[in-house]
Amino acid sequence: MPNRALRLSTRAFVQVRAPMGAFDATLGNVSSGGARLLGVPDRMLRISDWVAIHAAGLSLSAEVRWHFDDTCGVMFEDPLTDCQITMILGGRGLY
């Protein structure tokens, strides 16, 4: 079984643009491959939707992989670099 990417806890505020409209959310965690979104409004996202996540001056394209209650997991179209993750974490660093 392949190892999962290191998930880093955060409470970064983001804006999400989705097919059903835009909304504010919070990142619960982030890794190079994806993130967990918290505070997703009812019926705003469906599995396989593509979204644009705006965080720390970055615009990230991602696909919704799972959705439960007000939380969902997304997989980034392109893996994040260490620099991008550090920006999202507010300069806190990776380790």
Side-chain angles (χ1 to χ4, degrees):
M1 173 181 253
N3 292 338
R4 289 176 54 170
L6 176 66
R7 280 149 175 76
L8 301 162
S9 293
T10 183
R11 288 297 182 257
F13 295 107
V14 298
Q15 183 175 61
V16 180
R17 295 191 189 276
M20 299 296 287
F23 59 92
D24 294 328
T26 303
L27 288 182
N29 67 38
V30 64
S31 72
S32 61
R36 179 170 43 124
L37 291 174
L38 309 172
V40 176
D42 285 345
R43 294 186 275 283
M44 286 298 285
L45 294 179
R46 290 182 283 200
I47 294 171
S48 80
D49 279 350
W50 281 90
V51 298
I53 299 170
H54 301 278
L58 302 169
S59 182
L60 309 166
S61 182
E63 181 182 12
V64 177
R65 303 298 294 214
W66 59 266
H67 189 281
F68 181 75
D69 289 337
D70 70 341
T71 304
C72 75
V74 298
M75 183 174 73
F76 297 124
E77 182 174 30
D78 297 311
L80 300 185
T81 65
D82 288 351
C83 182
Q84 289 172 313
I85 293 172
T86 299
M87 288 174 66
I88 292 169
L89 296 175
R92 174 164 58 98
L94 300 180
Y95 305 101

